Amino acid sequence: MVHPKILLIVGGGIAAYKSCELVRLIRKAGGEVTCVLTEGGAKFVTAMTLAALSENPVHTTLWDLKNEVEMGHIQLSRQADLVVVCPATADLLAKMAAGIADDLATTLLLATDKPVLAVPAMNVRMWQHAATRRNVATLRASEVTVLDPDEGAMACGEYGPGRLPEPPAIMTAIARMGIQPAPGPLTGRHVLITAGPTHEAIDPVRYIANRSSGKQGFAIAQAAAAAGARVTLVAGPVILSTPAGVTRIDVESAREMASAVEAALPADIAVMVAAVADWRVAGTADHKIKKDGSGAVPPLQLVENPDILAELCRSSRRPSLVVGFAAETEQVVAHAQAKLARKGADWIVANDVSGDVMGGEANTVHIVTPAGVESLNEMPKALVAAALVERMADALA
Ligand code: CTP
């Protein structure tokens, strides 16, 4: 669908600020946005901000005579291809489920004949309350798409499900509803991503592993898919759900990962985020290694694993843009610069993993290229992913 029209209803929650980023992403992807700001939403973002980002008038009240004469509120709800409620507060979800229409937003939601996507954000207890669960079930049964909120630390200081999904994930959900804003910046491109740790077997029950959670790589896969790319995600053992629209290949060891990468070529962009084990055990035991009672420890002989990134860079089927990651605990940028040359990558994205980056929600990265170093502020991994994908698309353009 070329230039889909999205009616965005911004509810009253702290996550409303993320709706501004959503407007920007929809616009960037070629969509048109008209915003409706609830009274609560206006406590968190201004109509001016949304008007400037959407380049459209923002509607706030049912009782605006000028708007009503130029375009009745029913028409406003009908001319959209999709209605997105973001953030969908507990109150908005309850009113939607009950069919209450006591302001412009809820009236439009009741009057619309178009698909509706609700993106909830609220305190964890409010999300888990039986009333909200009932309302969500009612809405889903009546074909409103209600996303699950993200889990994590909340503005109110509590922890759990209730955070607004990141804007790139909302874009993916919009695409999944068949509203693919006109070609994204990576439409027609194949992006190959590795993510997570590898497990190197010692014997049938033991393995060598590392603390990689796979979150950063999965976030990049999601952002690349939202940008229109065909995405192949080669994932080590992680407990993460596959982002919508992404082809996932599960592997365990470095050697399996290397084969899966090879098999997925050709690609336009490769992003090697996996924390591949540098070494594996020479001669994995066929049976569980047993203590022999003497106190002697089994000799574990290690051999080096294939360097997937370096081999890809040397390959005749090298993607046009190859991005490596560097997990460092000291001299982050200097080590990344050395790695850039040694591996033959175009960029190395360096991150300091001395804190709780591995497994954590946020990341601080430095993009090291032969042209210089760009350091990004600490931000959620989804935003790091969006920033990287934006730069990758620019680099290929
Ligand atoms: N990498 C890879 N295959 C390996 C090791 C690493 O593809 N066998 C990739 C990673 O996915 C990452 C980059 O190489 O994109 C750098 O990984 P890192 O572990 O930081 O580098 P090492 O090669 O292990 O270098 P060092 O031992 O100096 O840290």
Side-chain angles (χ1 to χ4, degrees):
M1 183 183 294
V2 181
H3 306 310
K5 294 191 181 68
I6 291 175
L7 183 71
L8 176 63
I9 293 175
V10 180
I14 177 62
Y17 76 94
K18 289 190 186 168
S19 64
C20 301
E21 176 66 2
L22 183 62
V23 173
R24 203 184 68 82
L25 291 181
I26 297 170
R27 297 291 316 278
K28 197 161 163 245
E32 279 181 38
V33 192
T34 301
C35 296
V36 171
L37 190 57
T38 65
E39 198 184 333
K43 305 282 185 210
F44 295 95
V45 293
T46 70
M48 185 65 85
T49 308
L50 294 171
L53 290 170
S54 66
E55 295 186 78
N56 264 325
V58 172
H59 303 267
T60 53
T61 167
L62 261 178
W63 315 115
D64 183 319
L65 190 56
K66 183 166 171 289
N67 275 351
E68 205 53 36
V69 170
E70 282 174 5
M71 180 178 44
H73 62 264
I74 301 287
Q75 202 186 332
L76 191 60
S77 78
R78 302 275 172 82
Q79 65 170 16
D81 297 304
L82 172 72
V83 180
V84 178
V85 187
C86 174
T89 58
D91 176 63
L92 264 175
L93 291 173
K95 285 178 175 160
M96 287 166 74
I100 293 173
D102 64 353
D103 65 359
L104 179 61
T106 48
T107 303
L108 293 174
L109 283 161
L110 202 58
T112 191
D113 58 352
K114 293 299 170 11
V116 177
L117 170 69
V119 193
M122 66 195 70
N123 167 273
V124 52
R125 298 261 172 268
M126 292 169 82
W127 173 250
Q128 287 169 339
H129 196 285
T132 304
R133 296 208 328 242
R134 253 191 333 265
N135 292 332
V136 169
T138 302
L139 288 169
R140 285 180 174 158
S142 52
E143 284 176 8
V144 170
T145 303
V146 184
L147 295 190
D148 282 322
D150 276 358
E151 200 169 315
M154 329 210 60
C156 54
E158 288 182 60
Y159 188 94
R163 287 167 58 98
L164 191 83
E166 293 300 334
I170 303 172
M171 289 299 285
T172 307
I174 291 174
R176 206 166 31 194
M177 293 180 76
I179 310 289
Q180 179 83 59
L186 288 178
T187 298
R189 307 289 195 178
H190 180 208
V191 180
L192 170 60
I193 298 167
T194 64
T198 62
H199 284 182
E200 308 297 332
I202 297 171
D203 65 18
V205 297
R206 306 182 178 95
Y207 56 82
I208 298 176
N210 61 63
R211 293 184 193 281
S212 170
S213 66
K215 284 180 187 166
Q216 185 63 78
F218 274 58
I220 293 170
Q222 179 157 44
R230 175 165 78 82
V231 181
T232 305
L233 174 62
V234 180
V238 293
I239 313 164
L240 292 173
S241 48
T242 312
V246 167
T247 305
R248 171 175 179 171
I249 298 161
D250 284 312
V251 297
E252 285 225 334
S253 67
R255 286 190 294 177
E256 280 170 26
M257 187 173 275
S259 314
V261 165
E262 168 86 37
L265 292 174
D268 300 287
I269 304 178
V271 194
M272 306 282 98
V273 197
V276 184
D278 289 316
W279 305 283
R280 68 176 181 276
V281 177
T284 303
D286 290 335
H287 300 287
K288 185 181 169 195
I289 302 171
K290 304 291 286 178
K291 293 192 287 280
D292 66 5
S294 72
V297 294
L300 274 191
Q301 182 83 44
L302 299 179
V303 289
E304 201 167 312
N305 266 328
D307 189 319
I308 303 167
L309 175 61
E311 283 179 6
L312 184 66
C313 289
R314 283 195 297 267
S315 140
S316 59
R317 295 201 289 165
R318 183 191 196 281
S320 324
L321 180 65
V322 180
V323 180
F325 266 66
E328 306 290 355
T329 53
E330 37 87 52
Q331 295 186 56
V332 177
V333 170
H335 278 148
Q337 278 163 333
K339 214 162 268 185
L340 184 70
R342 192 169 72 238
K343 304 231 180 191
D346 299 299
W347 307 351
I348 291 283
V349 179
N351 53 359
D352 187 337
V353 293
S354 55
D356 59 358
V357 166
M358 280 191 151
E361 300 302 326
N363 205 354
T364 312
V365 303
H366 312 272
I367 306 169
V368 178
T369 73
V373 181
E374 184 189 0
S375 297
L376 306 184
N377 291 330
E378 183 185 34
M379 55 179 96
K381 287 179 176 176
L383 293 187
V384 171
L388 289 173
V389 164
E390 198 171 319
R391 284 160 183 72
M392 287 172 206
D394 288 348
L396 277 205

